[in-house]
Amino acid sequence: MDMKLQGKVALVTGAAKRLGRFIALELGKRGCHVAVHYRKSEKEASETAETLRALGVKAEIFKADLTDEGQVKAMMDAVAQTFGQLDILVNNAAVFLRTPFHQTDAATWRSIMDANLTSVFLCSRYAAKLLEESEGGVIVNISDTAAFSPWGAFLPYCVSKAGVIALTLGLAKILAPKVRVNCVALGTILPPEDYGENWRQEMSEKTLLKRLGTPEEVVQAVLFCVTCDYLTGAVIPLDGGRFLR
Ligand SMILES: NC(=O)c1ccc[n+]([C@@H]2O[C@H](COP(=O)([O-])OP(=O)(O)OC[C@H]3O[C@@H](n4cnc5c(N)ncnc54)[C@H](OP(=O)(O)O)[C@@H]3O)[C@@H](O)[C@H]2O)c1
C-alpha cells in the first residue's frame, strides 16, 4: 500500500497481459483502483481484474479499439461512470510489426500510426477532462528508445514511438499545471512470444548492461513518473544504455 496512490483510479491500456498487466497489478498493489483496458484479450483482461480484486481494490474491464474515436470516448465515459474519477492514465497498448521498407504500403503505415500514436492522442484527449478534475492527474506514455535510432525493418513502429515522445512533450505543456505528462522509452524487455533465445542474446549484447530489462524495472520507472510530483515532460530511457551505442 502506498498512501500517495491509495484510492486513486488508474486506467492502463493493453492491460490484459504482458507489460500492461504488470503495470496494472503494481498500481493495484499500491492501492489504486484499476480500469483494465483490452481489445481482443477478454479472458486475460478478466484474469487481470480478478487478481486486482483479490488485492482489495476495485477493478473492471473495458473493451475498446483505441484507433476508433467513438470507442475511446465511450470507454472514458464508462470509466467515469464506474469509478467517478480518473487520476492516472498509462498509455501502454501498441503493436509491434516487422515492416521491411520496400514491402510496406500506406495502409500498413497508417494502421501502425493509428494503433501506436493516434491511440495515445485519443486516450489523452478524452481522459483530459477527468484528469484535470483530479488532484494531481498524470499521464504516462510508453515509448521505445528505437525512436532515437530507428530500426530499418520496423520504421513505422519507430516513427510512431518518436511521435509518442513528441506528443508527451506537447501534452505536458498543454495540460500543465493540472496534469503531468511523462514517458518511459523502453529497450527490449519482453520480446514477442515467437522470438527465440538467439534473438534475446543478440539484443542483450547490444545494450551497455549486457542484458534485457525486466517488467519489474518498467513498473519502477512508471511508478516514478506517477509519483514524482515535480516531473513533467520527462522522457526516461529504460534500455540498459542501448540507445547510446
Ligand atoms: N515488450 C517490450 O520489450 C517492449 C519494448 C519496447 C517498447 N515496448 C512498449 O511497451 C508497451 C507494452 O509492450 P508489450 O510488449 O507488453 O505490448 P504488446 O503485448 O505488444 O501489446 C499490448 C496490448 O496492446 C493492445 N492493442 C494493440 N493494438 C490495439 C488497438 N488498436 N486498440 C486497443 N488495444 C490495442 C493489445 O490488446 P489485446 O490483446 O486486448 O487486443 C495488446 O495486448 C508497448 O507500448 C510497446 O510498444 C515494449
Side-chain angles (χ1 to χ4, degrees):
M1 197 61 72
D2 181 326
M3 291 313 287
K4 209 165 179 176
L5 294 181
Q6 195 178 1
K8 300 271 188 197
V9 175
L11 166 60
V12 182
T13 67
K17 47 193 189 181
R18 291 171 56 84
L19 294 180
R21 184 169 206 270
F22 277 96
I23 294 166
L25 292 184
E26 188 61 30
L27 288 168
K29 283 182 199 154
R30 306 272 170 153
C32 291
H33 306 301
V34 185
V36 175
H37 159 266
Y38 72 102
R39 177 193 48 171
K40 290 183 181 159
S41 303
E42 182 165 0
K43 185 171 160 284
E44 293 91 336
S46 296
E47 286 164 7
T48 303
E50 206 50 59
T51 310
L52 282 161
R53 283 185 214 112
L55 295 169
V57 296
K58 290 184 208 153
E60 295 297 335
I61 63 169
F62 297 87
K63 179 181 169 79
D65 181 335
L66 301 180
T67 66
D68 181 319
E69 186 166 15
Q71 292 188 36
V72 173
K73 194 170 177 305
M75 174 175 74
M76 294 306 171
D77 290 345
V79 169
Q81 199 145 48
T82 305
F83 293 98
Q85 69 191 76
L86 180 66
D87 307 289
I88 300 161
L89 168 65
V90 182
N91 285 310
N92 166 80
V95 292
F96 181 64
L97 280 186
R98 173 176 282 276
T99 46
F101 181 70
H102 294 96
Q103 289 138 47
T104 299
D105 58 13
T108 304
W109 174 273
R110 286 195 190 104
S111 73
I112 294 172
M113 292 300 152
D114 278 354
N116 292 3
L117 179 57
T118 310
S119 63
V120 178
F121 161 70
L122 289 174
C123 287
S124 305
R125 159 74 180 81
Y126 288 104
K129 191 165 166 289
L130 287 166
L131 293 169
E132 282 166 341
E133 285 164 5
S134 155
E135 296 276 313
V138 57
I139 298 176
V140 183
N141 295 327
I142 309 295
S143 184
D144 191 313
T145 53
F148 304 133
S149 180
W151 308 324
F154 292 83
L155 193 57
Y157 169 81
C158 296
V159 173
S160 71
K161 290 300 193 180
V164 169
I165 290 172
L167 187 54
T168 300
L169 305 182
L171 288 172
K173 288 185 183 179
I174 291 164
L175 298 176
K178 287 190 175 162
V179 180
R180 296 183 297 104
V181 188
N182 296 298
C183 176
V184 182
L186 304 178
T188 306
I189 313 288
L190 282 183
E193 277 142 21
D194 53 343
Y195 284 37
E197 189 48 42
N198 282 352
W199 193 83
R200 288 181 68 91
Q201 207 49 49
E202 213 182 295
M203 291 303 118
S204 302
E205 277 309 311
K206 289 186 175 176
T207 69
L208 293 181
L209 300 182
K210 302 296 173 204
R211 67 170 178 87
L212 302 188
T214 67
E216 290 75 16
E217 287 162 342
V218 174
V219 165
Q220 240 183 324
V222 170
L223 279 177
F224 177 66
C225 290
V226 170
T227 55
C228 183
D229 291 335
Y230 201 49
L231 193 75
T232 197
V235 180
I236 302 178
L238 190 83
D239 72 346
R242 178 171 174 184
F243 85 101
L244 292 174
R245 299 195 68 207

